[in-house]
Amino acid sequence: METIGFIGLGIMGAPMAGHLLDAGYHVIASDHRSKPPADLIAKGLKTTTGHDAVAKAADIIITMVPDTPQVADVLFGENGVAAGLSKGKLVIDMSSISPIATKEFAQKINDLGCDYLDAPVSGGEVGAKAASLTIMVGGEDKAFERARPVFEKMGKNITLVGPNGVGQTTKVANQIVVALTIEAVGEALVFASKAGADPAKVRQALMGGLAASRILEVHGERMVKRTFAPGFRIELHQKDLNLALEGAKVLGVSLPNTSTTQQLFNSCAANGGGKEDHSALVRALERMAAHEVGGEAAQTEGKAA
């Protein structure tokens, strides 16, 4: 089994690396900024100092960090991955970043005699912990087949969608669908709750019809139960929708509902909610309705109607 370097042991990265350790892979991480989680150390995670040292020690290097500048720094900054690469190694970026920058990063890594895959994921913290992530891959067939056994330890729906950059383009499309569906679920539950209906029962009823979705199931429950601890933060979804809107401008494509949903995320962030789960988008809708989903006023208002 190849040795895996894993950079980015956050909400998503830590359980992903944990699955690789559970599968018997030798996994190494950098401790130059913070000590890796104790549970991963207990599973056998090895540490070194510097991303270049991780690259020297590993056959496959995975990055899972928040945004394009962080990926650029990890790969090409001081003591970056590129400085530790040798021919034949494989770099896999599983972050969600700019498709344009991804193509540039891939070319630089290829010029060093190494392969590059962009492989962003969907499924959030729940999917990361359950090893059920959807993985959208851009790159060459040979590199994808090499990486497939590694991906299979972290996800279920694994698709090579095209050359470098197309994986990230697919993730941007995914984030448009997710954001707009969260907004739709929020609107529906605010409407139903203010009309006096029990939002938990409304959600349960809708799960049996055409409106059923993973978003309604997971994030609808978060809205009803008011559990907004982050699985995926609003500020990160703002970043993804920025990528969508910037790309749309370049392509000459109109994304009107994406723009509106981004404004709702902006409202949440402006009110201190940027680090809450993206299901907390419902708070922006609640402010405009002067009503909280499941709030005590629901029954009174429903009777009055």
Side-chain angles (χ1 to χ4, degrees):
M1 300 178 78
E2 296 188 283
T3 297
I4 310 296
F6 208 109
I7 299 170
L9 299 174
I11 290 175
M12 299 287 290
M16 292 164 67
H19 294 311
L20 297 178
L21 289 163
D22 291 339
Y25 281 98
H26 296 289
V27 182
I28 186 168
S30 175
D31 62 2
H32 81 293
R33 287 189 177 177
S34 60
K35 189 174 181 179
D39 62 323
L40 297 185
I41 298 294
K43 289 183 177 184
L45 179 74
K46 304 301 182 184
T47 62
T48 187
T49 300
H51 301 319
D52 55 345
V54 172
K56 288 176 183 177
D59 304 300
I60 298 175
I61 301 92
I62 296 174
T63 57
M64 185 63 174
V65 296
D67 202 351
T68 307
Q70 285 78 26
V71 175
D73 182 59
V74 164
L75 294 180
F76 308 111
E78 185 178 0
N79 299 321
V81 166
L85 290 175
S86 54
K87 288 185 179 181
K89 297 197 175 189
L90 171 60
V91 176
I92 306 173
D93 178 38
M94 302 189 78
S95 318
S96 296
I97 67 168
S98 164
I100 296 172
T102 290
K103 294 178 183 179
E104 297 172 357
F105 297 163
Q107 187 60 58
K108 289 181 180 180
I109 297 299
N110 292 160
D111 289 344
L112 297 173
C114 300
D115 289 319
Y116 188 98
L117 295 173
D118 49 294
V121 303
S122 179
E125 183 182 12
V126 172
K129 289 182 175 179
S132 61
L133 293 168
T134 290
I135 305 176
M136 302 154 260
V137 189
E140 298 296 327
D141 288 349
K142 180 180 71 172
F144 175 71
E145 291 304 324
R146 179 180 177 183
R148 186 193 292 272
V150 177
F151 290 147
E152 288 175 346
K153 300 300 182 291
M154 299 181 287
K156 299 296 184 186
N157 181 22
I158 304 160
T159 307
L160 178 64
V161 290
N164 286 132
V166 177
Q168 294 294 352
T169 296
T170 305
K171 177 59 187 290
V172 172
N174 178 86
Q175 295 303 80
I176 293 172
V177 173
V178 171
L180 270 60
T181 307
I182 290 174
E183 196 278 337
V185 170
E187 280 196 19
L189 292 181
V190 169
F191 168 79
S193 179
K194 190 156 188 178
D198 181 337
K201 292 182 178 179
V202 170
R203 172 185 162 276
Q204 181 181 354
L206 294 178
M207 283 300 298
L210 193 59
S213 70
R214 184 67 172 157
I215 298 295
L216 178 62
E217 178 186 358
V218 175
H219 295 313
E221 183 178 45
R222 284 176 172 267
M223 294 174 192
V224 172
K225 293 185 175 180
R226 320 306 292 172
T227 52
F228 297 129
F232 187 76
R233 300 192 302 274
I234 281 175
E235 62 188 7
L236 292 179
H237 214 140
Q238 285 180 290
K239 176 261 297 183
D240 291 340
L241 293 193
N242 277 339
L243 292 175
L245 294 170
E246 289 168 0
K249 183 177 181 180
V250 172
L251 294 169
V253 173
S254 178
L255 301 177
N257 292 325
T258 301
S259 299
T260 299
T261 303
Q262 181 73 311
Q263 291 303 319
L264 294 173
F265 277 138
N266 291 346
S267 172
C268 291
N271 282 274
K275 297 189 182 302
E276 291 188 311
D277 187 79
H278 52 173
S279 58
L281 171 71
V282 72
R283 292 192 190 276
L285 299 168
E286 290 170 340
R287 280 189 290 271
M288 290 189 287
H291 175 84
E292 182 178 293
V293 168
E296 293 181 0
Q299 296 299 323
T300 302
E301 291 168 356
K303 290 176 182 177

